Structures are given as structure tokens and as C-alpha cells.
Amino acid sequence: MARQGTKRKIDHETSDSSIETPLTTDMIVEKARQILQRVSNSDKIDKDSRKKATIGIFGKSGEGKSSLLSAILGKQNFVPSGCFGACTAVITQVEANLTDSNYTAEIELFSKEEWEKELTIFFRVREDDSEDRNEELIEIAVEKVTALYGADADQKTLEELKNDEKFAKIESFLSTSKKIISNSNLSEFTDDVASYIQHSESSPGDWFWPLVKSVTIKIPDCNEFLEHIVLLDLPGTGDCSKTRDDLWKSKLAECSSVWIVSDINRAITDRDPWGILKHCIEELGPGGKCKSINFICTKTDDMNQQEYMRSARLPRDQIKDQKKTCILHRNEHAKTRVKEKFQNSEIKKIFNTDNQFQVFTVSSNAFFDCNLNLESSETEIPKLQDDLRTLNKSINRELARDYVNKAKGHLSWIQSGQFDKDKKTIEMKDNEFEKNLKKSLTELDKYFDSIYKDLEQCLSKGVEEAVNSCVASTKKLITPNKDGRGFHKVLGALCKNYGCYWSKNRDVILDLNKTLAKHLHKCIYNDFCQIFPVSGKTGKSVQEQIDKFSIIQSDSAYPRSDILHYIQNFIKIEETKLKAALNRDIVDIKKGIYSSIQITIVNEMASCYQQAAAVTGTGSMKRMQELLITTVDNKKHDMFNKAKMELLKKFTNLKLDILKALKNELQEVIKSSQSQTSEKTRMDVSREIEELERLLEQLSDCWSLYNKKPKRNGTNHKGNITTAQ
């Protein structure tokens, strides 16, 4: 076909040789943007605004989380000690400041009504002098009230507290839902933000963390590690606020990776991290999107080598550098023991490959101080830096590839208008696309129906098992193992929190809802993990079916031509963009599908929990137990069948949403592909398309080169970045 458009006189400043020059990912995106501007005088392609990858960090205060982060980011005391985990209830996240060179804190606050509700609960509990008095709840509340109002605040009545001048100040403070602190000076910023994230028992009053839901700290000059990543501190202790507890669980489900931070001396014996991981296995796996766990043993340089050599039976006379030898010996021993514990844990069934569970032994102090016996690489901080750097680069590369492909699709659409149109051929080809769309939708519908039947069968088995065992499971959970003293308070707290109790230190976790849901979850587990895998292919997953979906078939009845080549290019790129967006949505939607079982149970049991929570006085524990057991027994058939039907309903809604999106969006794409008839858009952009194709090749080449490079030390002992971007 003859070309109708006039060949544009374009100043191709970018020669072939310059395109072949190695470019960074950001430079490739900028080149693509310039090419678009050259064609249409504007950048018509939107930047992808997908969520950042979240790395959740478990670890109690004092385990070395703040020092660890400072070392990873290459600046000593970059994050003040106690920033992570000092106030046990506040969720803190750290990310890169991409807008300016300031340190910024975005502080999300409770509403005035939410805080007044907490205060009311505190004073009601404090005045309770019955045997149901919950000492743990009071301890948490006293910590909050004294932190905020001062040392004697817990001795005042609610009315006396309201008359205090600090009360009016705090009410005014809560008139806004968010507070922003920004400063270019790190020391000043740390002072400004301290009262919102730290706590001092020796100096009570004017510590505002009890009013804080979450804190987002944005730090400059760390794009290499955190441009596309968020580090999220997940507090390791309980809280009497259901709002914070729900926020904690929702944040956990967002984590694509988890770091367990523990002092090397307690890494094996401390039950907290392992207990929390075991309890949260569903939020991390089938109910979440976690792909890997790093267990990080900290403070490896903190040791008495003489004592260690004696206990480890190391020969003193044969060792030149005793402390270094002891440190490295203990590191290897700790890695072996942690891996053994992992191999014997329930978590292994989700994270079952070697690269999904790794153990690091780190020393933040020795990383900065070369006098502490260890080389930089032996502190293992550079290994964690490389992990972050690699993840950050892979996300950046993926975003760049998406952007360049979108640009290529846009130019392919423009180029298709460069040719004379054989209207009959184009019309017949469009009919073929419509026919292929209908056929592909029918095949995808059949796949979903098949999966629905599999899930229904598994759920029916789960309902049967749950009905048969739920009463016994409930009795076991709500009956104390020993003499039962004080257990009525635990049971009362469980009912007040709608079926879930976490002790302050999270060493005791009771969750009746999860217990009741376990048989349904167990019966769908294998199928669910195949339908919605966190990573990899199973041959049965929704994501794989969407990836195979296409309205462009290789057995087309029509001969290849320039115009059809560019039209198909445009459609293929639009398809890829749509399928990628759907697959990202599926990851979030599947969490709601999986959690629907437990949510249904909570809703069905809610009125019972409220009634049980109101039971007080002599014999209250027995009456609460009887009420819970009777309700479970009476509701079991209806409750578990509702949970089954709710999950299937959500799965059906997912199917309908996917089919609708594919049909509507691709029909629009087909329509757009035939709209290139205007003379003013007839221009030859074949050269620009070739440039974009070379940029895509360079993206693949530079990533291959990066992966082949030896791992870098990242930062030297003084914390200075030693490698250029």
C-alpha cells in the first residue's frame, strides 16, 4: 500500500550510535518521553502509579531495628534509636522523599471521637473493682494516659482530666486528622518528630504517640534503595484499640516481604516472632502477597569472646583474632539453628524454596566502625543493601518497560494512519478481532466455572468438618489449660475484641474466629494456592489464564500487511497493559475472597460477643463460655454455609469483573484501531518506533548486565556510598 502522509522533517539528534550507548533506566524513560514529544509535542502517556512494594519488619524495641535501617541507608544515626518500636502501638513506615530534600513525617491521628471513646473505656475499666478487672488493659491505658497528660493523670477522674489545660490543648490538636513535620536538618527533624513516635517513662507528659495511628517518614537521598519500596514497622505488642489492631492486620496483608529482626542472643529462644508468624500465616500467604521472609539476627558484635570460646569449646591458642573468630562462629551456628527451626515450622509450607527464607547475621555498629573486628562484608549489611537495591531496580525496570511499551503502542496507532486503508479488509479484520474476543471470553468463562466447582466441592467438605468439630474446638480454645485464675479476664477481652485476644507482648494469642474458620481454610488451601499463587506458575492460576488471553491469533485468515502489522502491534500492547492491571488487581481482590470466611464468622458471632462481653460478676467466666458454646452450636450449619456462599459469591464477582473489563476495554481498543482516518494524524513514525524497540532491547541488556555483576559492598565503614548509579 502506498503511504499517504508527508514524510516529516524531524531533527533526529539521537543517532543510532547514541541509542546504543548504555543508558540507565531513568534515561531510557526520558528518551521515550522525548520521542513522544517529538511526534505530538506532548507526553500523552501517563506514568504508572502502582503501589510500592512493602517490606514488613517485625521486632521488639531494643532489637536493633533503628540501627539496622541507619546502616542500610548508609548514615550513622540516620534513624534515631527508638524510632522503630519505642511506642509499641504505632505503625511506622519509612520511604524515600521523592519531592524535595527535606526529612518529612506525615502523622495520621485518631479523631477526637475515637480518642474520647478510648478514654471512656479506660476510666470505666479502672473503676471496675470486681474480679473481672482487666489488669493488662489497665496497664496499657495507664501508659497512654500518663504519656499524654502527665505522671498523675491516671489518678484523676475523667471530669478532673477534662478540666486540665492539657485536655483542651489535645482536643484542639485532634481537630485535624493529619500533621506534617518537615525539616532539611536531620537533628532538628528528629527533635520535632520525637514526641509522636517515642516515649519516656522517666519524663511523662506531652508524648503524643497515644493519639497516633501511623507515621510515614520520608527521607531524602535514598532513591537507590527506597524509590519503589516502603519499609513498614509492624509493632510486636498488643493494644486495646481495635482500630490499631485492624490497621495492623491490613498492613500485614500488604507486605510483599517480611523481615524478622531479633537480637542474635535471643533469635532461637524468643517465641514472639515465631508465634506472630505462625498466627499470621494466612495473612502472609493465601490471604496476602508475601513472597519471602528474611530472618535478621542483629548485634552480632556484642559478645564476650572469652565466655563464648569456653562455651563453644574453641581452642584459644590456635586462634589469632579471637573476637572475630567467635563472632563468625556464632553467626554460622545461629544461621543453622534458625534454618532448622524454620524447617520444622508451619511457615515452611508456604515459603518452601531456599530463596524464600534467608537468614542474615548483621552488625550495624561494626559496619560503621572498622575497629570492631569485622570487614564490611562480614557485617552482612551489604547483602541486605543488595537485596533492596535489586528489588528497587527490578520494579524501576518493570515500570520503564511498561512506559516504553505504552509509547510504542501509541506510535503504532499513529503509524497505522500512514497507509491507505482497504476498508473491506480492515472491516473483516475487525470482525475477526470481535470473533476472537467472543471466543476467548467463552473459554475464560469455562475456566472460571471449572474453578468454581472445585472450590464449591472443597468448601462443602470444609463445612461438614467445621460443623462436626466446631463445638469441641470452641471448648478447647475458651477453656484454660491450668487452674484458670485470671482467665475470665482474657475471655472477657476476647469477647470485647470480637473473638480475638492478643496479650500485650503477643506471647498469648487466642482467635476464636480463626479457629472456627480453620476447616474451611484447610479444605480450600491447596486449590486456593494454585488458583491464586503468590509467585510462580501452577497451570491453574487465574493470572496464567489472563496472560494467555488474546484477540490476536496466529492463524489469521488475512495476509500480513504494513497497516495490519501496526494495528496488531497497537492491540497487543493495549492487551498487555490491560492484563497487567488485572493481574495486579487480582492480588488485592483474592485477599478479600480468602478473608471472607473469617469475616462472615465474625459477623455471625458479633451479637454473641457483645452479650458475652457484658457478662460480669460471680461465675461470669462459666456464663461467657456457655453463651459462646451454645451460640456456635446453634449457628454452625447456617454460619458455615453462609461463609461458603460468601466466598463463592466473591469469586463469581471476580469472574464477572474480569470478563466485563476484558470485553469493554478490548472492544474500545478495536474501535480505536480503526479510527486513524484524519489527514492531520497521517505521519510516518516508523523511525521512532524502531528507536523505542531499541530502548526496550537496552532495558533487557542493562538488566542482564546488572545481574551478572559481582555483588557490591554498597557502603564503606564510614557509611559513604561507594558505587555509582
Side-chain angles (χ1 to χ4, degrees):
M1 291 185 179
R3 297 186 175 185
Q4 295 296 310
T6 303
K7 186 75 175 180
R8 293 171 299 115
K9 293 181 179 179
I10 298 175
D11 180 16
H12 289 287
E13 294 176 359
T14 308
S15 66
D16 291 347
S17 60
S18 66
I19 287 184
E20 292 169 3
T21 303
L23 302 173
T24 66
T25 304
D26 291 341
M27 289 168 67
I28 287 173
V29 171
E30 178 59 23
K31 286 279 185 184
R33 190 187 66 78
Q34 290 174 3
I35 291 169
L36 279 174
Q37 283 188 323
R38 210 161 67 202
V39 169
S40 57
N41 295 322
S42 67
D43 178 0
K44 294 185 177 182
I45 308 299
D46 293 331
K47 301 290 193 299
D48 200 316
S49 58
R50 72 185 66 174
K51 292 180 181 177
K52 295 183 178 184
T54 300
I55 297 177
I57 304 176
F58 284 115
K60 295 185 294 188
S61 180
E63 298 295 301
K65 288 186 288 184
S66 298
S67 299
L68 173 68
L69 184 57
S70 293
I72 287 172
L73 297 177
K75 293 184 180 180
Q76 199 163 12
N77 300 320
F78 193 70
V79 179
S81 179
C83 178
F84 270 157
C87 45
T88 56
V90 176
I91 291 173
T92 307
Q93 65 184 47
V94 173
E95 58 187 70
N97 185 348
L98 303 177
T99 57
D100 57 42
S101 58
N102 283 357
Y103 301 90
T104 302
E106 296 177 358
I107 302 166
E108 184 184 2
L109 302 168
F110 282 104
S111 68
K112 177 184 172 183
E113 292 72 24
E114 286 173 323
W115 176 241
E116 287 184 353
K117 184 178 179 181
E118 276 209 37
L119 274 181
T120 302
I121 292 171
F122 161 60
F123 280 98
R124 185 173 67 238
V125 171
R126 191 194 67 172
E127 291 164 7
D128 182 7
D129 57 1
S130 70
E131 64 175 12
D132 301 314
R133 180 181 171 90
N134 191 323
E135 298 296 340
E136 186 173 74
L137 190 62
I138 291 173
E139 181 184 344
I140 295 170
V142 167
E143 183 181 24
K144 290 183 180 182
V145 171
T146 54
L148 196 55
Y149 298 104
D152 61 344
D154 61 313
Q155 303 301 316
K156 295 180 180 179
T157 66
L158 182 55
E159 287 303 314
E160 288 173 336
L161 198 63
K162 286 183 176 181
N163 291 328
D164 192 301
E165 62 180 18
K166 285 185 180 179
F167 193 89
K169 175 184 174 183
I170 288 165
E171 277 200 328
S172 174
F173 178 78
L174 292 175
S175 61
T176 179
S177 62
K178 184 178 285 188
K179 183 174 179 63
I180 308 292
I181 295 173
S182 186
N183 200 311
S184 60
N185 182 282
L186 176 58
S187 178
E188 293 175 4
F189 170 77
T190 302
D191 291 341
D192 292 340
V193 81
S195 60
Y196 299 97
I197 59 175
Q198 293 179 288
H199 176 57
S200 171
E201 291 184 1
S202 62
S203 179
D206 294 324
W207 298 99
F208 297 108
W209 64 262
L211 307 175
V212 177
K213 285 183 182 178
S214 63
V215 177
T216 299
I217 296 176
K218 297 183 178 183
I219 48 184
D221 305 322
C222 63
N223 290 18
E224 180 187 12
F225 302 115
L226 299 182
E227 183 178 1
H228 304 291
I229 299 171
V230 172
L231 300 178
L232 175 69
D233 178 38
L234 293 164
T237 59
D239 189 273
C240 58
S241 166
K242 190 174 185 300
T243 304
R244 281 204 186 100
D245 208 45
D246 289 344
L247 181 62
W248 189 91
K249 290 177 182 177
S250 68
K251 290 285 189 181
L252 179 62
E254 290 295 319
C255 295
S256 54
S257 180
V258 165
W259 292 0
I260 309 297
V261 181
S262 182
D263 186 318
I264 193 169
N265 291 302
R266 298 191 293 270
I268 306 301
T269 57
D270 193 352
R271 294 186 303 167
D272 286 4
W274 297 97
I276 293 172
L277 273 180
K278 179 182 176 181
H279 182 73
C280 298
I281 192 169
E282 287 165 0
E283 284 83 0
L284 292 173
K289 54 184 180 183
C290 184
K291 297 179 181 179
S292 64
I293 295 176
N294 287 343
F295 198 105
I296 303 172
C297 304
T298 57
K299 304 183 180 181
T300 60
D301 62 287
D302 183 13
M303 72 146 47
N304 182 323
Q305 68 261 31
Q306 298 301 326
E307 184 178 318
Y308 183 81
M309 291 181 73
R310 185 165 50 251
S311 63
R313 297 179 177 177
L314 297 178
R316 289 180 173 82
D317 298 339
Q318 301 173 24
I319 299 173
K320 184 177 180 181
D321 189 337
Q322 292 185 353
K323 184 161 187 178
K324 180 173 181 174
T325 301
C326 289
I327 289 171
L328 298 180
H329 183 275
R330 183 175 65 174
N331 287 354
E332 287 306 309
H333 178 68
K335 286 183 178 182
T336 301
R337 291 289 307 280
V338 169
K339 288 177 181 177
E340 287 173 352
K341 190 161 186 174
F342 169 74
Q343 290 293 332
N344 297 321
S345 71
E346 291 183 33
I347 312 163
K348 170 68 176 174
K349 68 181 181 180
I350 295 179
F351 305 97
N352 50 22
T353 61
D354 290 341
N355 64 344
Q356 286 184 298
F357 183 85
Q358 298 185 78
V359 184
F360 295 81
T361 48
V362 306
S363 170
S364 303
N365 289 335
F367 180 71
F368 289 113
D369 188 349
C370 57
N371 295 318
L372 293 179
N373 302 82
L374 298 177
E375 297 296 322
S376 178
S377 60
E378 291 169 334
T379 70
E380 298 201 1
I381 293 294
K383 288 184 180 180
L384 283 169
Q385 288 177 327
D386 269 319
D387 262 18
L388 280 180
R389 187 185 289 110
T390 300
L391 175 60
N392 197 56
K393 278 183 173 288
S394 69
I395 297 171
N396 200 33
R397 172 178 165 269
E398 184 182 336
L399 291 170
R401 180 178 296 280
D402 288 350
Y403 182 85
V404 178
N405 268 321
K406 287 177 187 177
K408 181 184 171 186
H410 181 64
L411 295 195
S412 295
W413 176 75
I414 292 175
Q415 184 66 11
S416 67
Q418 173 69 15
F419 305 93
D420 279 332
K421 291 183 182 287
D422 181 341
K423 291 187 177 180
K424 185 177 179 180
T425 302
I426 297 300
E427 185 177 321
M428 292 176 71
K429 188 66 181 177
D430 288 342
N431 288 338
E432 183 182 278
F433 289 145
E434 289 281 1
K435 182 181 175 182
N436 291 342
L437 175 58
K438 185 176 180 180
K439 179 183 175 183
S440 296
L441 288 171
T442 301
E443 290 175 355
L444 188 58
D445 193 27
K446 287 179 182 177
Y447 158 79
F448 274 112
D449 287 345
S450 172
I451 294 300
Y452 183 99
K453 289 176 184 176
D454 291 344
L455 285 174
E456 185 177 32
Q457 187 176 357
C458 294
L459 286 166
S460 296
K461 182 182 178 183
V463 168
E464 183 181 348
E465 291 183 8
V467 166
N468 291 335
S469 64
C470 62
V471 172
S473 298
T474 301
K475 286 179 180 178
K476 183 179 179 181
L477 183 83
I478 65 175
T479 302
N481 293 327
K482 299 178 182 178
D483 58 15
R485 283 183 293 182
F487 187 77
H488 66 287
K489 298 175 184 177
V490 171
L491 191 57
L494 178 143
C495 294
K496 288 174 183 174
N497 206 37
Y498 290 87
C500 182
Y501 168 78
W502 293 56
S503 64
K504 184 181 179 184
N505 294 318
R506 294 194 187 261
D507 54 345
V508 177
I509 303 172
L510 301 177
D511 193 332
L512 181 54
N513 305 311
K514 187 164 284 193
T515 298
L516 293 172
K518 70 179 180 182
H519 288 289
L520 280 85
H521 279 150
K522 183 186 75 174
C523 287
I524 68 166
Y525 180 83
N526 289 332
D527 279 79
F528 200 89
C529 289
Q530 286 189 317
I531 298 165
F532 300 108
V534 172
S535 61
K537 295 183 178 181
T538 65
K540 192 178 179 179
S541 73
V542 176
Q543 291 96 324
E544 286 173 83
Q545 293 300 315
I546 289 176
D547 287 339
K548 289 193 297 185
F549 190 98
S550 180
I551 63 173
I552 299 174
Q553 304 298 329
S554 57
D555 57 350
S556 174
Y558 302 99
R560 292 181 62 84
S561 65
D562 285 343
I563 186 169
L564 292 182
H565 167 74
Y566 287 112
I567 287 174
Q568 287 191 3
N569 245 356
F570 166 69
I571 290 175
K572 190 179 293 184
I573 289 168
E574 290 299 307
E575 268 189 348
T576 301
K577 181 173 68 173
L578 173 60
K579 292 189 292 186
L582 286 173
N583 280 332
R584 287 195 296 271
D585 290 341
I586 286 167
V587 173
D588 290 324
I589 293 169
K590 70 110 175 185
K591 292 184 289 186
I593 294 173
Y594 192 83
S595 63
S596 65
I597 292 174
Q598 193 166 321
I599 290 171
T600 302
I601 290 171
V602 173
N603 292 337
E604 289 295 302
M605 292 291 295
S607 60
C608 171
Y609 291 139
Q610 290 171 345
Q611 292 176 44
V615 174
T616 57
T618 305
S620 60
M621 183 171 79
K622 185 177 180 181
R623 281 182 285 143
M624 281 190 284
Q625 290 170 331
E626 289 174 350
L627 181 57
L628 290 168
I629 292 167
T630 301
T631 301
V632 169
D633 195 25
N634 290 340
K635 284 181 171 282
K636 58 187 179 183
H637 291 281
D638 189 44
M639 178 167 62
F640 295 128
N641 275 297
K642 277 186 178 179
K644 166 190 166 181
M645 296 313 298
E646 183 62 23
L647 186 145
L648 292 173
K649 176 185 173 184
K650 285 185 176 294
F651 183 77
T652 299
N653 289 340
L654 172 66
K655 178 190 86 166
L656 295 174
D657 288 344
I658 289 173
L659 293 176
K660 181 180 178 181
L662 287 168
K663 180 181 178 181
N664 292 348
E665 294 287 335
L666 291 179
Q667 281 179 338
E668 231 7 81
V669 169
I670 294 169
K671 184 179 177 182
S672 296
S673 71
Q674 53 182 288
S675 66
Q676 270 289 59
T677 57
S678 170
E679 288 293 331
K680 68 179 181 180
T681 59
R682 292 193 173 195
M683 57 178 71
D684 182 6
V685 292
S686 57
R687 174 110 176 235
E688 284 76 9
I689 292 173
E690 290 173 3
E691 288 183 53
L692 290 173
E693 287 172 346
R694 285 195 288 271
L695 290 176
L696 286 170
E697 288 174 8
Q698 285 211 15
L699 266 176
S700 298
D701 291 344
C702 72
W703 186 246
S704 298
L705 286 171
Y706 174 76
N707 283 333
K708 288 178 182 178
K709 285 181 182 179
K711 294 299 182 181
R712 298 173 290 179
N713 283 342
T715 353
N716 59 24
H717 275 297
K718 295 182 180 179
N720 299 316
I721 302 295
T722 58
T723 54
Q725 279 291 286

